[in-house]
Every structure is written in structure tokens, then in C-alpha cells.
Amino acid sequence: MTNPIGMRHPEAQVSLGRKYKSRKERPCDACRKRKICCTRDAYEKDCSLCRTRGESCQYVLPPNVRRNRQPNAAPQTSTSSPSSTGSIPSRRRETRPRPLGSNGNREWICQFVGLSGDQDPYVLRHCSFNQQNCYRGAEWAVLKIKGDTNGDVPLHFTVVPDTQLDARPDHYPTTDTEAVVEPHANDLLHTYFEVVHPSYPLLDPSRFNSPPVTGDPLLAVMYNLAAPFCSSSPLHFPALSSFVQQALPIEHQHPRLETLEASLLHLQRHTPTSPSPTLPGLSSSIGSLAGIAHDLGLNNDPSSWSLSPTDTNRRIRIWWALHIQDKWSALGLGRPSYLNDEHSNVPLPTISNFSHLGLANTPLTLTPALQFIAMAHLSSILSDVLNTFYTLKAVERIKLLPIEMLFSILDGFQERLRIFRDDHLCPLCSGSGNGGLDSTGSVVLAFYTIEIVLLRAVLRCLPMNHPGYAGLRGQAKTTLLNVVEFLEKMSVSRLKAFWWSPMTRLNFSLAGSFMFSQFLTSHTTHDIELWSTTIAHYRSLLRLHSTSFEMTRLASMRMDLLAQGMGVDSPLPLNLEREDSIRESGGILGRGFGVVGVGLGMSDVVGFGDGLKREVLDPRSAEEWIMRQGDGGLLLC
């Protein structure tokens, strides 16, 4: 059985045979060279010639030039650049096939059959399947994945032609994406796998050694993500953004694995931050992707399916990339998670699920895979934290628990975090200082964020006069000061790396809101002064970094809005005082970072170098603050 994922390219889509002298389906390269008929039986992956020779069908050669070519048709030229011709072969552009309505090409789309649907898999398993576990009708086919042995839960995919789904309507954009990025295509592709891929290793680099296909949303998203990091190209390609914004919603109606890959990467784009403290459309976008993943059956463990290791690994990576995005967005947005762990049995990713070769088969380090694996494990812990403390019913259950049981639950989560730190975070960070970009910042901040949301949940449920309350506030203080130090000592290699977004932006903001929570629940002069100073310092760091580090802009704006809303942020210029101790330690970003600010365009920003001054949040006086709040400042936030 071939790969049941509904891909467009002939070599990857579900094979439904090729008739004699078919003009609707492309012949393989071997038959084209010999100018003979490429005959392929139903549900056979390879044609009769390639099976006889013991080879697999290949579809790499570009299409032949037609003799009746239009006179005004521009020749297709190589888009390779001098800086990359020595790394990978010249990548000539191919034209993406159009749907049946335009030139007769017909594609077949796979959809997973669920256990509770009207297409009962216990009924479908009685279809007359052939030796390839396929049954085909005139306009409908069924692929059997499992269910031959007694006790197996039957798993099927139904296969329908795209003409039934209106897969490529007339309003589908026809942008020549390769022409938009000429002559930077190769440089952008190299930049993607040098900068973006080490932080977010979703794709297999070997897939991109063949000629590119113009009009491919996945490549368009990759080019746009790489553009800000590519010195030879513009910072942004508006035409690509417009194409992706139009194409992806249409692609979502007939999803394939590339659709989900392109959509997940599109969510990672560093969009401009608006003054409004919202991320409009993010939650609904992730909900759409969750539905697509279920249509493709990605929530099922593919390890025992008749798939190649490449396809199995690809499905596992995509599922966990979506799982990570869903859980962290649910946390940061305060929304329910779309993915229910009860409906998934996909194993956690391992090193074997990632490619160890880059473009042109160059070796890759293990750091990208280790980082992705660490984030998947951390997201699994986060999922349990959300289910335990942050669902509507969980909030009611927690109220009824004895305090001792609440601390027992907290101890269990903290033990899991300690194991994660020792098994994943420490090895990852210890191997990230070997030169090049340091892409571990997103994982480190995510670890601190889980500590924050765990302590925040327990502090909300715990009476302030409980003996253990002060200890939890001490833990919260330690974690928040770790976040401040993390931002203070941000290295150049981390600042210039690609960061997971939007989760990183939300995590910086979550830390700031928890600082305000600690400030509002303070009832001693020492605590009030500590948190007012810490908040002011953190806001200063966020504001200073935001000039060149986009990940802190959202948090900076939100903290400003919170301060103004609580009446502790004077509209007049805030009081500034000199901090000699920080000057002696090398400035806001630690020793040796004075040059960094210059390199990142921060040399003229107030707060860097010798002119460093720290803002102090001034509630006039601690005593007045307590009187303003009432009840001795004991606010239940």
C-alpha cells in the first residue's frame, strides 16, 4: 500500500493505476526516456518497466518543451545564485499541475474514517479488498490500514477525486511564486535550513533538493520566514504573503500533509504587534489545523502502518508540532485546547524521527531534533497542567480538594519538571554554546513559563494565611527573577536565532502578568518595593529589547496597559535612578554585551551601556499602596 496522505505529486499520491497512453497522468522518467508506454496497475506504486528492472518510478525530469509553445512564453531559467551553486544542484522551476477543470489532471484526496462516523469501519472492512488492501469503485475507494487480525480496531482511509471536493476553484491564486523571489530562491532556501530549521525542524531537507514547484504555498511560506535572515534578499515579499493568505484557506478544504506543514510554519511568522492586547485569529486558525490533522488521521500512531520510515516520521513530526502549538496557544490565550489526549496514541518523537542530513546531504547536528523532542515532552506536561488546573470543571474540582492533596499534586508536577530539566533541558543548553546560533531560548523560556503557571494555579487556591503560602511565593520569586536574568543575559547568538512564535511572545507576557499578581498580593513594605522595582526593571528590559527583538514587543505593550489600568503608571515620565551595581556588571545584558547593543542597532536607545538607568514603578509609598488596596493589601488575584 502506498502513502495514504493525499499528496499532489504523482510519485507521492495514492496510486490508482495508469491506463495505456493516458494523458491525465504523468509517465515516469524511465518510460519517458525510452518513449514507451508507462503502464501501472491499480494501486501499484511502480510501473511494469520499473518493476521488471527492480527499480522505483522517479518523477524528477522537467516537462518536455512543447513544439507549439506560445511565442511570448518566457524561458524557464535557473534561479541559483553564486553563493549556493556549490552546495546543491541548480533548481529549475517546474509548473504546478492544475486541477481537472483546467487541464485534465485529476488528483485523489484521502480522508481518515473515524470510529463513530456514518462510514462505519466495522462495515467497511467487509469490502472486497485486493492484495494491496484497496477497494476501488467508480468515484470512491477505500484503503485498509489495519483490521485483518482478530481484535484489531479497523482503520481505513476513504479516497475520492478532487473534482468532488472542488479542490482548485477558479479563484485559486495563480501567483508565480518562484518569479517573485528571483534571483534569491536558492539563498532563501539555504537561509531557511541554516536559521529556521535548527529552531523548528518540521521538514525533511532532502525533499527540497529537487526543482521547486511554482505556486507551492509551502515554499512560499518558507521563503517569507527566511527573508528577514537572508542578507541578499528583501526583508519581506508582500506578493508571497498575499498568495499564502488566499491559497491556504482553499487548501484547507482538501488538506494534505503539505497543507498542514505550510499552515504550521505560517503561524511561526513574526507578525507586527498591534497596540491591542490581542492576537486576532490565532485560536480559530489552530482549531482549523486540529480539524485538518484529524481528517488526515495524524492522531493515530502510524508506526505499524505499511508506510516508509520517511512518511511515518513525517506524520509523527507534524502531529507533535501541532500538539505543541495547540497547548501553548491555549495557555497564552486562555482558551480551551482543541486536542484531547484521549483521542491520540502517537508516541513522543525520538531522534530517529528526524533527518540527520541537510540540503545536498550535508550532515546536521542533533541539536534541532533534541530541541523539538524537549518541547514535545514539555508540552505533554503542560497539557496535564491545563487539564488539572485550568479547565472550567477543574477549577471547581480543585476548590473541593484538601490542601494536602493540592500540595501533593504540585509536588508531582514539580518532580516531572525536575526530571525534564535533568534529562532534556540541561543537556540541550550545555551543547548549545559550540558556536553559531543558539536556538534553545524558546525551550528555556517555556520551562520557566510552566513553573509560573503551575505556581500561579496553586497560589490562587491557597489561603494566604496557610503555612505553605509564603514558601510558594518564594518559589514564584525565584522563577520570575530567573526570567528577568534570562532576558538580561540574552546572548547575541540567541537574539539572532529564530524563535518559536507566537508562544514565545505570549510566554514573555505571562511572566509579566504574574509579576503584577505578586505585586498586587503583597502586604509588606519589603514585598511591595521588591515587586515594584522588579516590574519596572522587567518593563525596561522588554522595551529596550523590543527595538530589535520582536519577541518582547507584545509583553511590553501588555504590561504598559496593565500598569495604566491599575493606576500605578503615572502618565508623567517615570522616575529614573542610576543603578551603579548594574553598570559594574556590564550593563543590562551582562558583561561583554555592550558591543551587542551596537551590533543590533541599540546603541542609541536609552538604557544600554554607561547611560543605563532603571525605571522604578512608584506607587508613591508602600503604606499608601496598602491603604489604597484595603484589607492590608491582601488581594485575591
Side-chain angles (χ1 to χ4, degrees):
M1 187 192 71
T2 53
N3 182 3
I5 56 177
M7 292 182 59
R8 271 208 166 79
H9 303 298
E11 67 272 25
Q13 70 180 21
V14 176
S15 176
L16 296 176
R18 186 179 188 276
K19 297 181 180 180
Y20 178 78
K21 290 186 177 180
S22 171
R23 293 184 179 274
K24 293 183 180 180
E25 299 185 44
R26 177 179 172 180
C28 71
D29 293 347
C31 293
R32 290 178 63 197
K33 287 181 179 179
R34 291 162 178 78
K35 296 184 178 180
I36 62 176
C37 296
C38 183
T39 305
R40 191 168 61 250
D41 296 333
Y43 293 99
E44 287 288 350
K45 179 180 179 181
D46 303 317
C47 68
S48 56
L49 173 66
C50 291
R51 290 201 308 272
T52 302
R53 300 175 64 194
E55 300 176 353
S56 298
C57 288
Q58 301 291 327
Y59 301 85
V60 178
L61 294 178
N64 295 329
V65 179
R66 297 183 181 273
R67 293 183 179 180
N68 59 347
R69 187 174 180 179
Q70 296 299 324
N72 59 349
Q76 303 288 353
T77 59
S78 171
T79 61
S80 61
S81 63
S83 62
S84 57
T85 52
S87 301
I88 61 174
S90 174
R91 303 169 65 247
R92 286 185 293 176
R93 189 165 73 236
E94 290 185 354
T95 303
R96 189 173 189 173
R98 297 298 296 170
L100 180 62
S102 55
N103 69 353
N105 290 332
R106 183 164 73 169
E107 302 162 8
W108 294 74
I109 307 299
C110 289
Q111 289 189 340
F112 184 75
V113 178
L115 294 175
S116 63
D118 64 315
Q119 300 185 58
D120 190 341
Y122 286 90
V123 175
L124 290 179
R125 66 178 177 179
H126 294 287
C127 292
S128 300
F129 294 100
N130 60 17
Q131 293 182 350
Q132 288 75 37
N133 287 327
C134 299
Y135 163 77
R136 181 182 180 184
E139 294 294 331
W140 180 68
V142 182
L143 306 178
K144 181 170 62 176
I145 307 300
K146 291 177 62 178
D148 288 332
T149 60
N150 292 332
D152 272 353
V153 177
L155 297 179
H156 300 86
F157 281 85
T158 56
V159 190
V160 295
D162 60 358
T163 51
Q164 295 184 8
L165 302 176
D166 194 21
R168 281 299 187 91
D170 293 337
H171 60 270
Y172 191 94
T174 58
T175 306
D176 187 348
T177 54
E178 293 298 312
V180 171
V181 297
E182 285 182 347
H184 310 292
N186 278 335
D187 289 342
L188 288 169
L189 191 67
H190 276 269
T191 301
Y192 176 88
F193 285 105
E194 290 170 0
V195 180
V196 180
H197 182 76
S199 296
Y200 197 75
L202 175 64
L203 306 176
D204 185 347
S206 63
R207 289 168 50 195
F208 300 90
N209 287 327
S210 57
V213 179
T214 191
D216 184 358
L218 177 58
L219 272 175
V221 172
M222 294 169 63
Y223 290 150
N224 255 347
L225 284 181
F229 303 94
C230 184
S231 59
S232 63
S233 77
L235 292 176
H236 184 57
F237 293 94
L240 291 185
S241 299
S242 177
F243 167 76
V244 171
Q245 295 284 3
Q246 297 175 60
L248 282 183
I250 301 175
E251 297 272 353
H252 286 179
Q253 305 304 314
H254 53 102
R256 299 165 294 119
L257 291 189
E258 296 103 311
T259 307
L260 202 46
E261 288 171 331
S263 299
L264 286 169
L265 288 173
H266 189 54
L267 287 178
Q268 303 302 316
R269 69 194 187 279
H270 294 174
T271 55
T273 304
S274 68
S276 174
T278 59
L279 293 176
L282 176 59
S283 181
S284 58
S285 296
I286 295 174
S288 176
L289 300 190
I292 290 174
H294 293 140
D295 281 346
L296 297 174
L298 288 171
N299 55 315
N300 292 268
D301 181 8
S303 303
S304 60
W305 297 5
S306 299
L307 294 176
S308 68
T310 299
D311 291 329
T312 299
N313 295 335
R314 185 184 183 192
R315 293 178 70 89
I316 292 175
R317 289 196 308 270
I318 295 175
W319 172 255
W320 279 104
L322 176 61
H323 185 277
I324 294 168
Q325 188 73 59
D326 172 67
K327 299 304 177 182
W328 288 96
S329 296
L331 170 68
L333 297 176
R335 301 287 185 268
S337 170
Y338 288 101
L339 300 182
N340 188 334
D341 294 337
E342 291 293 319
H343 292 285
S344 170
N345 61 352
V346 182
L348 284 161
T350 63
I351 287 292
S352 61
N353 298 132
F354 297 85
S355 173
H356 305 313
L357 296 177
L359 291 178
N361 296 323
T362 55
L364 293 176
T365 65
L366 296 179
T367 302
L370 292 175
Q371 174 178 310
F372 191 97
I373 293 168
M375 192 66 82
H377 281 264
L378 197 58
S379 300
S380 181
I381 300 175
L382 174 62
S383 178
D384 292 340
V385 171
L386 293 176
N387 291 333
T388 304
F389 293 104
Y390 288 97
T391 68
L392 293 177
K393 291 186 177 180
V395 171
E396 299 300 322
R397 287 194 300 266
I398 289 294
K399 292 179 181 178
L400 303 177
L401 291 180
I403 298 298
E404 294 75 15
M405 187 174 293
L406 184 63
F407 275 96
S408 177
I409 295 174
L410 174 63
D411 291 340
F413 278 116
Q414 290 183 331
E415 178 62 24
R416 292 175 65 181
L417 288 175
R418 280 191 289 269
I419 294 174
F420 170 83
R421 181 193 60 200
D422 296 338
D423 292 350
H424 296 280
L425 194 60
C426 291
L428 185 64
C429 293
S430 62
S432 62
N434 299 327
L437 298 178
D438 181 1
S439 59
T440 62
S442 298
V443 182
V444 176
L445 181 61
F447 175 78
Y448 289 142
T449 303
I450 288 194
E451 290 187 322
I452 287 172
V453 297
L454 184 60
L455 292 169
R456 181 179 65 178
V458 177
L459 285 170
R460 286 175 176 176
C461 305
L462 199 63
M464 291 186 175
N465 58 359
H466 189 276
Y469 185 82
L472 289 185
R473 282 184 65 91
Q475 295 181 39
K477 172 186 172 182
T478 300
T479 300
L480 289 172
L481 292 181
N482 284 338
V483 174
V484 174
E485 183 181 16
F486 171 77
L487 190 57
E488 275 184 338
K489 299 182 178 179
M490 190 82 70
S491 63
V492 179
S493 58
R494 271 187 175 164
L495 286 170
K496 291 186 176 181
F498 182 83
W499 289 65
W500 292 41
S501 177
M503 61 176 290
T504 298
R505 292 185 288 168
L506 290 169
N507 288 347
F508 275 121
S509 186
L510 276 167
S513 66
F514 191 46
M515 290 180 191
F516 273 116
S517 175
Q518 296 300 98
F519 179 52
L520 292 170
T521 53
S522 298
H523 61 278
T524 66
T525 301
H526 175 270
D527 275 1
I528 292 173
E529 292 178 349
L530 168 68
W531 288 113
S532 65
T533 304
T534 302
I535 289 172
H537 184 39
Y538 187 61
R539 290 176 64 191
S540 177
L541 288 171
L542 292 173
R543 188 177 299 116
L544 294 172
H545 276 292
S546 65
T547 59
S548 59
F549 183 51
E550 193 174 4
M551 295 296 102
T552 61
R553 292 177 187 171
L554 179 68
S556 179
M557 290 181 179
R558 291 197 174 183
M559 291 196 72
D560 288 346
L561 293 174
L562 284 174
Q564 294 170 11
M566 292 185 299
V568 296
D569 199 12
S570 172
L572 299 176
L574 293 175
N575 181 31
L576 302 177
E577 65 177 18
R578 192 68 164 239
E579 290 293 335
D580 295 331
S581 60
I582 298 183
R583 288 182 56 205
E584 293 174 359
S585 65
I588 241 178
L589 302 180
R591 290 194 182 277
F593 214 89
V595 181
V596 174
V598 178
L600 297 176
M602 296 181 176
S603 57
D604 296 329
V605 180
V606 176
F608 279 88
D610 292 336
L612 172 66
K613 296 183 179 180
R614 177 186 292 186
E615 295 182 24
V616 175
L617 188 65
D618 184 14
R620 298 184 182 176
S621 70
E623 292 77 9
E624 182 179 351
W625 170 256
I626 293 175
M627 292 178 63
R628 286 173 56 192
Q629 302 309 309
D631 296 330
L634 304 181
L635 299 182
L636 294 175
C637 299

